[in-house]
Structure formats: C-alpha cells, structure tokens
Amino acid sequence: MKILQGIALSVALGLVAGGAIAKDKAAKQYAVVNEEVGVPVFAYDITDRPYTVVGEVKAGVRKATVFSKEASQAKIYRELWERAEKLGADAVVNAKYGDSHVSAFSWGKTNATGTAVKFTAPAEVKSNPGS
C-alpha cells in the first residue's frame, strides 16, 4: 500500500513540475515577436532597430506521409527560430520559403532560409552643452 502511495505522490509531483516547466516556456519573452506566428521571425527586414548579423539559418520541414497537410507558415517559422535561437539570435529577418517538393527520402519537404540577427544597444543620446 505504501508503494502505491509513493508512486501516486511521485506522479503528482511530476505533473506539478511538468506544469511549471510548461508555464516557464509559455512565459518566455522575446525582444520582438511576429504576432501572426508567435516567434520573432519576419519575412521583411527590421529597419527601426540596429542589429548585427549572427548568421544564416536554414530549416527543412517534412511531411509525415503523402496524405499529410503542407507545412504552415507558423511551423516553418518556428523551425527557423529554433535554429536561430541556438545561435543566440534575437530575431530572424528576411525569412523565405518555397513550395514543398517530393524526394526519394520525403513525401514532401519545404525548405526555408533567413538571417539571424542580434539587436545592438541603442546609441546613447549626447546632450549638446550649448543648449
């Protein structure tokens, strides 16, 4: 009986800890975010904030079967963001992807590319002593 209670307690603690981890992931804040897809990946360049280029990122999203749906823009952008995040990037700009294509190893694959960027601190505003 004590063994069952121990197992139940372990499962309950695991569920609570798992919920805390999931809550932390959901609460993650980005420097900027594309509201349509929920990650900081954009099809255009960001011109209102200075940044440095971290590197190019590439991703390929595969279909599971011939009957699976094509990859959505949100899924493709999330894949690009996962790779950019590993490089320490704050965002991905100029993200592009094409139509899926069938190969010998895939029922359909969509390739995507983008530029991973890291925002720089804004320049300090210098006061004019003559003012």
Side-chain angles (χ1 to χ4, degrees):
M1 188 66 154
K2 288 194 181 231
I3 293 173
L4 291 177
Q5 288 174 341
I7 292 172
L9 181 61
S10 296
V11 170
L13 290 175
L15 291 174
V16 170
I21 292 169
K23 189 181 281 187
D24 286 345
K25 282 188 176 185
K28 187 166 186 176
Q29 298 294 317
Y30 302 116
V32 293
V33 68
N34 182 342
E35 297 295 332
E36 294 177 13
V37 294
V39 291
V41 178
F42 304 91
Y44 52 86
D45 194 7
I46 295 175
T47 58
D48 62 340
R49 292 183 72 171
Y51 62 79
T52 58
V53 174
V54 177
E56 293 296 315
V57 288
K58 295 181 182 181
V61 180
R62 298 180 192 273
K63 289 173 50 173
T65 69
V66 70
F67 303 109
S68 298
K69 292 182 182 179
E70 297 293 325
S72 67
Q73 180 184 35
K75 183 171 182 167
I76 293 167
Y77 279 9
R78 280 192 302 270
E79 290 290 326
L80 277 175
W81 174 241
E82 283 181 17
R83 284 151 180 77
E85 195 172 28
K86 289 177 183 175
L87 295 175
D90 289 328
V92 176
V93 296
N94 299 323
K96 295 175 181 45
Y97 63 93
D99 294 330
S100 67
H101 60 278
V102 177
S103 70
F105 303 106
S106 171
W107 290 110
K109 180 180 176 187
T110 304
N111 292 320
T113 61
T115 304
V117 299
K118 181 102 176 142
F119 294 116
T120 57
E124 290 184 29
V125 177
K126 295 182 181 181
S127 61
N128 188 351
S131 299

